[in-house]
Amino acid sequence: MVIGHESSGVVVAVGEGVADLQPGDAVAMEPGVPCEDCLQCLGGKYNLCPVLTGRRKPKGRQGFFATPPVHGSMAGFVAHPAKFCFKLPEGVSLDEGAMCEPLSVGVYACEQRAKVQPGSTVAVFGAGPIGTICAMVAHGLGAKRIVLSDLLDDRLAFCREKCCPALTLNTTGLLTEEIVERIKELNEGEEVDASIDCTGAEVCVQAAILCTRNGGSVCTVGMGPQNMTLPILSASIREVDLCGVFRYRYTYPKCIELLAEKKINVLPLITHRFGFTDASVLDAFETCRTGRDGAIKCMIHVGSAA
């Protein structure tokens, strides 16, 4: 099947009744199209629609790019509902438009789930692509202080030097309690307002709960084991909300706003670019697989054979 779900493009034709878009418009394409008539969709939680969670077979244009049986967007032309095509303003490139998909995970986790707002203090666990994006989004939303932790110094340095002014912590060899204390030290002796785990590691989720202030939020983005031992009593008696994430909803406009206002710069995450030939596409995937030359995001330009 055709793969690809982080995508943008230029409109070449529109169907009857489409008034907001016209040929020539640059758009970012949200890859998930829900049924719009189930309990979740009618309740505004369309990302949890059974069509998008694999519980119901999609019909027509429903479904999520590159999720069987729905083909993805790595093609010369894609037919997509106008409702899920978001016009890019002047100053926001197609590359940035394609990055709205991973950026949406960070926007959803930070803004809607962890309730990050101007002046917040935030701990982010994991400095991979999504953890880095969450740190960037938290900064873009006005967080006062961000503590980013990981096991790899080069990842931490990349985020600190090229993405956002986070305070960084290498947690190699640290116990849960030690991680909590180090985060508090970096946050002027206080617990943080919100924690976002992008690792799925038990020790990180434990630390996330314990380093979050009373009444704060812990958002779990990373996917780990089915079962964990967690300090649930601590979360309960301190009213620390533990919330999950499944993709995102209503995020693309915010992503485009953050990009247009230059509150977030995703371009440093695009480390490699490739054309749309068999050899080039295979090279792109091999580069991603191996992490060759510091690869983070490899952009394939479908309109280019270079």
Side-chain angles (χ1 to χ4, degrees), residues 58-105:
K59 300 177 182 178
R61 296 294 177 190
Q62 296 174 2
F64 198 91
F65 279 160
T67 303
V70 180
H71 286 298
S73 55
M74 192 184 295
F77 297 93
V78 174
H80 202 53
K83 182 177 181 178
F84 295 94
C85 294
F86 297 85
K87 186 175 179 178
L88 300 176
E90 291 289 333
V92 177
S93 67
L94 288 172
D95 282 4
E96 291 172 301
M99 289 293 290
C100 283
E101 201 284 331
L103 187 58
S104 283
V105 178

